[in-house]
Amino acid sequence: MTAAGPAGAPRNRREVLDEALTRLAPRLPGFEHEAVLDRALASPGLRNAAPPTAARLALIAYARHVFTDYDDLLKEGYDRDSARHFVLDDLNETLLGWGAAPIPEDEPDEVGGDGGTAP
């Protein structure tokens, strides 16, 4: 079911995700905002997720891969859970800077926690 816009006109998924992301991370810079939207739309694992969930998971995945040493830790041989543990503080600092809620230490990753697009 597609959300309805003004006067009941259907809205596309990008518009709905855009609104969810704006509420989720109000200080997210424009370039990052567009990159997160693209990730949410491109991810097969997020295709059927509710917009707020898709926006949150895509935001976390984007921040983890772009603003932390997560990928470097994986290349060094750390397993996914260990790498995520080591970058959690940097990830949360980035999320907080964007006005988004941090990830609690014990929060399980949904859809791989990477928007379904990467390890």
Side-chain angles (χ1 to χ4, degrees), residues 8-77:
R11 297 185 313 167
N12 67 39
R13 183 150 173 89
R14 185 175 191 87
E15 291 173 341
V16 176
L17 284 168
D18 179 59
E19 289 178 4
L21 185 57
T22 298
R23 283 190 302 274
L24 176 68
R27 294 189 303 269
L28 184 64
F31 175 81
E32 276 79 24
H33 188 97
E34 291 301 314
V36 172
L37 282 178
D38 290 344
R39 178 180 285 267
L41 290 166
S43 171
L46 298 179
R47 187 164 290 135
N48 295 318
T53 301
R56 172 88 174 150
L57 293 175
L59 180 71
I60 291 168
Y62 179 78
R64 180 182 286 137
H65 287 282
V66 176
F67 291 94
T68 74
D69 293 331
Y70 178 73
D71 292 322
D72 292 333
L73 291 171
L74 292 177
K75 288 176 190 171
E76 291 174 16

Side-chain angles (χ1 to χ4, degrees), residues 87-119:
V87 302
L88 185 60
D89 289 341
D90 290 337
L91 176 58
N92 281 337
E93 184 178 324
T94 299
L95 293 173
L96 288 168
W98 293 336
I103 300 170
E105 177 75 34
D106 59 350
E107 179 178 297
D109 283 316
E110 302 170 39
V111 191
D114 286 308
T117 60

